Amino acid sequence: MSTHHHHDQDFLFKYVFSQDHKMISKQFLITGFIMGFIGLIMSTLFRLQLGWPGESFWIIDKLLGSWAENGVMAPDKYLALVTMHGTIMVFFLLTAGLSGTFSNLLIPLQIGARDMASGFLNMLSFWFFFLSSVIMLISLGVEGGAASAGWTIYPPLSALPQAIPGSGLGMTLWLVAMALFIVGSLLGSLNYIVTILNLRTKGMSMTRLPLTIWAFLLTAIIGVVSFPVLLSAALLLIFDRGFGTSFYLSDIYIGGQVLEHNGGSPILFEHLFWFLGHPEVYIVLLPALGITSEIISTMTRKPIFGYRAMIGSMVAIAFLSTIVWGHHMFVTGMNPFLGAVFTFTTLLIAIPSAVKVFNYLTTLWKGNIKFSPATLFSIGLVSTFISGGLTGLILGDSALDINVHDTYFVVGHFHIVMGLSAIFGMFAGVYHWFPKLFGRMMNNKIGQLHFWITIVCAYGIFFPMHFLGLAGVPRRYYTNSEFPLFDNLLDINVLISTFAIIIAFGQLLFLYNFVFSALRGPKAPQNPWDSNSLEWTAPVEHIHGNWYGDIPEVYRWPYDYSKVDENGEYIGGKDFIPQTTPLYDNETDEAH
Amino acid sequence: MASITLQDLNTKAEIRKKTAKPLLWIGIVSIVMFFSGWTSAVIVSKGGNGNWLNIELPFAFSLSTIIIVLSSLLFHYGLISIKKDNKKMLKLAVSLTLVLGLLFVVSQFYGWKELYSNGIVATGSSSTNASSFIYLITVFHVLHLLAGIISLIVVSVKSYKEKYNSTNFLGVEVSIIYWHFLGALWIYLFLFLKYIA
Ligand code: HEM
Ligand SMILES: [Cu+2]
């Protein structure tokens, strides 16, 4: 075999069909970011239409071509863009991109394992995701356009191929892509759970795990329980579309013609969909909560406040998330008693959420805070988790929700509490673990600028949406110019769209910082943030098996920051004690 | 410094030993959730509309139940045998389990045939949700069973090659857990379709 040939093979197995968790992590990150940028551009384009309805834009003309005659987006294509934007952001960027990246990177490194339980399944998990991304993007180009029934793909729009242009091949491809996505996500979750439960290094008990790992564990458990139900819902939809069953359809006419479907109900779909749909928001959110807890503790040089309470509240949130799905269905003619039950379970989630907020704030309180971009984005998450959570109380209450259901109030709410929180968590994670991912440091100044532009614009976009919603502006509308009652709200839309354009440009700073630092950034030191957790004991360069020689042993929890003895001196002489340091004589392992 | 640190094959085998069964168990959880999605859907559909039909299950499905229980018992006997290093018995038990597994699939086909000849169809204008669900649920159970059959084939080939002994039978165990699960799943679906749907 010639050396050259040998190299080719190496390349293929190292970068493409890799079974190494660190490489797979980068594959998830980059694929997720590419999808995320596409989702972002889509939102900017439809914000142009919302801010300046009916006006012609050069950029829309260039990017959308036949979807926008003379630079004006076609109404049905608006729906396609909104649907694809939601789908891409929720599933591709913030489920696969976020969990896939950080579960893969951090689980083996932080628990002290050589790799995932099954490198092969892990590789498959990525490739299912990748294939799914490709099919989802291809669906943008098919006749009739991409799926247009909203990211929630309610029937009958999604069930009858002849309903609207986007109900045709675009919808079919959406379903195929999502089926692959679900398989990939399940394979990933299997691996994460089993690795965490079975491959921890010596001394790494469950209560010595960093909160990141707890978050990834619970995320994976929710995934394993709820994604299969989405798959079963999607299969019924596929049968209704193509094979003449009527699970979701009854007494339907199209163009004056009676269809054969009989006996089904679209409400059934809503039940099945939201049984995944609500837990999905925690699949998106929990990893961000774990990441930021870890970062805030490290960067304030303080032990996380209420470690066990943090775990307990994440467990409670994970459990409660599976019994609240009805709050998306208050206006479906649901029995008011059942509505009250779902209101009750929904409002219960406020308790563990409030515990988490309290613990975040007490950890920050009087901390010796180092304001890295990761710290800033973590604090940004605390902010959005509060401001978005408060409006959740309104939407969770059936009597109040009925007034604002399907308005921009909802759009404002979920973007802040889920979209922004998760995106901030993801940015925080990338800034913080960039040295672990690429062995180089990102630029601090550009990162700070990126944060400030992002948070100001993000609130500028989503905060005013609540007022639109209270005024009654419905979501998923191409334009409201037919309704004189909304005329005086146009200025708000102009404002929102302006912020949307700025935020999109702001992300170019991140893109530049990311690409430039990955290639040219200064080399990372062994432990850039003086952190306690295990990943920083692994060599900066990526090696197969993670550690030279034996896997390190663990003697303490990961949050021994600024620990002092009776005289007020730092134990061990520094303001941090890595998990690999055995207990000192004068020290007790507080049973945290 | 050495570039290979993953302590070679030993570590890999050890990881496999530790994780093969947990991986399967969690996979099973997700399959359970998949089917509970559909059985809940049956309950919602049944409650939600007037034209639900109570359908008599074909006799062949009762046969399927007996076959799959027998196969599970046999397979279990095979596992007990290999723990005592009785390789001959394992071969016999696994191959018979495989035959019973295939018979299960055949009996399912007979069941569908019987349904069909009674005018109960899966799709089209004369189908109802009740009839569609029966086909859907049983067909997807068989699809999952095919994975079990593949694993049975692998285990029987390996047992004929005498790859297993009283200290090395992880493959048999993994396959048996899945097979028992398929049996339990079938019994649940059968009782559900018979008494609740
Ligand atoms: C600056 C970035 C973003 C902007 C300007 C933006 C803007 C919007 C707007 C205006 C809508 C409503 C359109 C309509 O109802 O007609 C929307 C829908 C949506 N967005 Fe975003 N968004 C952004 C980022 C995100 C992120 C990060 C997520 C992640 C969760 C997200 C998830 C969604 C979802 C799920 C929908 C609903 C789609 C549907 O109705 O089916 N967005 N976005
Ligand atoms: Cu919800």
Side-chain angles (χ1 to χ4, degrees):
Chain A
M1 203 195 305
S2 76
T3 27
H4 183 76
H5 185 77
H6 190 76
H7 266 202
D8 279 356
Q9 276 199 340
D10 271 5
F11 180 82
L12 203 61
F13 286 102
K14 186 154 177 223
Y15 295 103
V16 185
F17 296 108
S18 170
Q19 297 195 20
D20 186 300
H21 71 102
K22 301 179 290 298
M23 182 52 68
I24 296 178
S25 159
K26 288 195 259 190
Q27 292 174 327
F28 268 109
L29 180 65
I30 288 166
T31 316
F33 268 155
I34 291 174
M35 292 302 275
F37 264 93
I38 295 174
L40 175 73
I41 292 169
M42 288 175 169
S43 73
T44 320
L45 295 182
F46 64 67
R47 270 312 326 174
L48 286 178
Q49 159 62 23
L50 291 173
W52 299 274
E55 243 168 79
S56 169
F57 287 95
W58 175 84
I59 178 87
I60 291 191
D61 189 44
K62 285 287 162 270
L63 284 178
L64 295 182
S66 66
W67 285 23
E69 234 165 277
N70 306 323
V72 183
M73 182 182 297
D76 58 325
K77 297 309 182 267
Y78 174 89
L79 292 180
L81 285 176
V82 169
T83 302
M84 294 300 278
H85 159 80
T87 305
I88 287 177
M89 290 301 197
V90 171
F91 291 113
F92 290 78
L93 175 65
L94 294 177
T95 301
L98 178 56
S99 263
T101 302
F102 289 103
S103 298
N104 262 306
L105 178 71
L106 294 179
I107 289 175
L109 283 170
Q110 287 193 331
I111 70 171
R114 296 271 181 218
D115 206 315
M116 286 286 178
S118 166
F120 180 69
L121 289 185
N122 208 21
M123 174 185 84
L124 276 189
S125 158
F126 171 73
W127 282 101
F128 270 103
F129 165 56
F130 186 80
L131 198 62
S132 157
S133 310
V134 171
I135 294 178
M136 201 51 103
L137 292 181
I138 287 178
S139 85
L140 286 166
V142 302
E143 204 189 324
S148 308
W151 80 282
T152 53
I153 57 158
Y154 283 178
L157 276 189
S158 58
L160 297 170
Q162 65 274 48
I164 50 172
S167 304
L169 186 55
M171 190 66 230
T172 304
L173 291 179
W174 191 101
L175 287 166
V176 171
M178 280 312 295
L180 295 173
F181 182 93
I182 293 170
V183 173
S185 148
L186 286 173
L187 293 176
S189 299
L190 280 181
N191 240 322
Y192 308 153
I193 298 173
V194 173
T195 307
I196 295 171
L197 294 182
N198 292 284
L199 299 179
R200 299 190 309 277
T201 185
K202 201 162 164 226
M204 185 64 89
S205 61
M206 290 304 277
T207 48
R208 280 182 183 163
L209 286 175
L211 288 174
T212 37
I213 302 298
W214 269 100
F216 300 148
L217 175 65
L218 291 165
T219 304
I221 292 176
I222 305 177
V224 162
V225 173
S226 54
F227 266 119
V229 180
L230 181 63
L231 188 58
S232 58
L235 281 168
L236 297 187
L237 195 52
I238 289 174
F239 284 106
D240 275 6
R241 286 173 64 77
F243 301 95
T245 56
S246 316
F247 297 113
Y248 301 136
L249 295 167
S250 195
D251 305 324
I252 295 241
Y253 298 76
I254 265 196
Q257 188 198 349
V258 189
L259 300 183
E260 275 181 359
H261 298 284
N262 218 327
S265 158
I267 306 285
L268 170 63
F269 179 82
E270 293 196 25
H271 278 297
L272 292 174
F273 179 86
W274 286 112
F275 186 82
L276 159 95
H278 187 83
E280 169 64 20
V281 312
Y282 289 98
I283 291 176
V284 161
L285 189 58
L286 280 175
L289 294 177
I291 286 171
T292 50
S293 305
E294 177 72 15
I295 292 174
I296 285 186
S297 174
T298 308
M299 300 314 254
T300 52
R301 316 309 290 161
K302 279 178 67 185
I304 191 85
F305 185 89
Y307 173 76
R308 291 208 172 201
M310 286 298 232
I311 296 173
S313 46
M314 283 198 284
V315 172
I317 288 175
F319 170 72
L320 288 172
S321 78
T322 60
I323 54 167
V324 299
W325 77 90
H327 62 215
H328 297 275
M329 300 168 62
F330 287 142
V331 298
T332 56
M334 173 183 278
N335 177 331
F337 175 73
L338 193 57
V341 172
F342 278 121
T343 297
F344 177 69
T345 52
T346 302
L347 296 188
L348 277 183
I349 296 193
I351 299 171
S353 307
V355 170
K356 289 198 76 80
V357 167
F358 180 80
N359 289 353
Y360 271 124
L361 294 178
T362 27
T363 307
L364 283 164
W365 182 252
K366 291 190 173 171
N368 179 14
I369 306 178
K370 294 201 231 163
F371 287 101
S372 72
T375 322
L376 290 171
F377 273 109
S378 302
I379 298 173
L381 170 139
V382 177
S383 158
T384 54
F385 192 49
I386 297 174
S387 53
L390 287 174
T391 51
L393 294 175
I394 296 171
L395 293 168
D397 185 327
S398 55
L400 298 175
D401 174 66
I402 288 170
N403 304 283
V404 285
H405 179 84
D406 256 348
T407 68
Y408 265 85
F409 191 88
V410 179
V411 180
H413 157 73
F414 74 71
H415 275 94
I416 292 185
V417 79
M418 162 173 76
L420 294 186
S421 301
I423 256 290
F424 285 5
M426 187 162 181
F427 279 138
V430 171
Y431 281 111
H432 192 79
W433 280 288
F434 196 83
K436 252 312 69 155
L437 279 162
F438 296 98
R440 292 171 186 273
M441 305 299 286
M442 283 181 92
N443 184 297
N444 188 34
K445 284 264 159 53
I446 303 181
Q448 307 246 353
L449 188 61
H450 171 227
F451 168 75
W452 287 111
I453 292 180
T454 303
I455 188 144
V456 170
C457 292
Y459 272 116
I461 294 169
F462 298 115
F463 196 73
M465 285 190 186
H466 296 93
F467 299 110
L468 294 180
L470 290 172
V473 179
R475 70 190 275 205
R476 293 177 179 158
Y477 270 37
Y478 170 68
T479 170
N480 291 297
S481 46
E482 297 297 316
F483 310 110
L485 114 121
F486 297 140
D487 278 353
N488 57 348
L489 298 173
L490 194 60
D491 289 347
I492 299 191
N493 270 320
V494 170
L495 180 79
I496 294 177
S497 294
T498 309
F499 277 121
I501 295 165
I502 304 175
I503 207 173
F505 280 104
Q507 303 318 302
L508 293 178
L509 287 176
F510 176 78
L511 186 67
Y512 166 79
N513 198 351
F514 185 91
V515 174
F516 184 83
S517 307
L519 301 174
R520 294 279 150 77
K523 287 252 185 294
Q526 178 69 40
N527 188 357
W529 320 116
D530 289 343
S531 174
N532 286 337
S533 42
L534 269 189
E535 74 273 28
W536 303 108
T537 63
V540 176
E541 74 277 14
H542 285 179
I543 57 164
H544 204 49
N546 292 342
W547 284 273
Y548 293 114
D550 291 338
I551 300 182
E553 205 175 309
V554 162
Y555 302 93
R556 55 177 78 237
W557 77 329
Y559 299 111
D560 276 334
Y561 289 109
S562 308
K563 196 174 182 187
V564 289
D565 59 19
E566 314 79 85
N567 309 325
E569 310 263 340
Y570 285 137
I571 296 178
K574 292 203 193 111
D575 70 348
F576 68 109
I577 316 176
Q579 286 188 280
T580 46
T581 315
L583 288 185
Y584 293 101
D585 293 340
N586 57 348
E587 193 192 5
T588 45
D589 181 21
E590 297 131 58
H592 292 286
Chain B
M1 226 174 277
S3 67
I4 296 290
T5 48
L6 186 59
Q7 270 129 17
D8 50 46
L9 297 168
N10 271 337
T11 329
K12 279 226 157 130
E14 208 175 292
I15 290 182
R16 202 180 114 76
K17 225 177 189 161
K18 261 188 171 168
T19 57
K21 280 194 261 177
L23 278 173
L24 177 61
W25 277 115
I26 294 166
I28 286 177
V29 169
S30 65
I31 299 178
V32 167
M33 287 311 296
F34 176 78
F35 280 96
S36 48
W38 277 350
T39 50
S40 326
V42 168
I43 294 172
V44 175
S45 300
K46 189 183 173 191
N49 77 68
N51 77 348
W52 189 264
L53 272 187
N54 288 324
I55 296 171
E56 186 82 22
L57 285 190
F59 174 68
F61 282 0
S62 310
L63 274 183
S64 307
T65 313
I66 298 171
I67 294 172
I68 205 156
V69 169
L70 275 181
S71 73
S72 254
L73 290 175
L74 249 174
F75 201 176
H76 212 81
Y77 184 65
L79 179 68
I80 296 173
S81 313
I82 194 62
K83 281 185 182 165
K84 293 183 193 144
D85 260 330
N86 189 341
K87 294 180 190 166
K88 222 162 143 195
M89 219 52 209
L90 176 70
K91 285 180 214 167
L92 190 66
V94 176
S95 357
L96 281 177
T97 311
L98 182 56
V99 172
L100 285 176
L102 293 171
L103 272 181
F104 177 88
V105 178
V106 173
S107 71
Q108 295 275 298
F109 269 101
Y110 273 97
W112 296 326
K113 223 175 114 187
E114 203 177 319
L115 283 172
Y116 190 78
S117 56
N118 291 340
I120 296 165
V121 292
T123 72
S125 56
S126 51
S127 73
T128 65
N129 276 342
S131 62
S132 305
F133 267 123
I134 289 198
Y135 282 98
L136 195 67
I137 288 177
T138 51
V139 168
F140 270 79
H141 175 264
V142 167
L143 288 181
H144 284 84
L145 192 108
L146 290 184
I149 297 220
I150 292 171
S151 92
L152 274 173
I153 294 173
V154 173
V155 171
S156 20
V157 169
K158 281 190 162 179
S159 63
Y160 275 94
K161 287 188 179 162
E162 312 230 321
K163 288 269 162 78
Y164 300 114
N165 56 46
S166 61
T167 52
N168 171 19
F169 53 87
L170 183 64
V172 185
E173 270 185 304
V174 168
S175 173
I176 211 167
I177 293 174
Y178 188 60
W179 194 256
H180 285 338
F181 161 68
L182 289 168
L185 180 63
W186 170 256
I187 292 173
Y188 162 67
L189 294 173
F190 178 73
L191 294 177
F192 180 86
L193 291 174
K194 199 170 172 75
Y195 294 109
I196 298 181

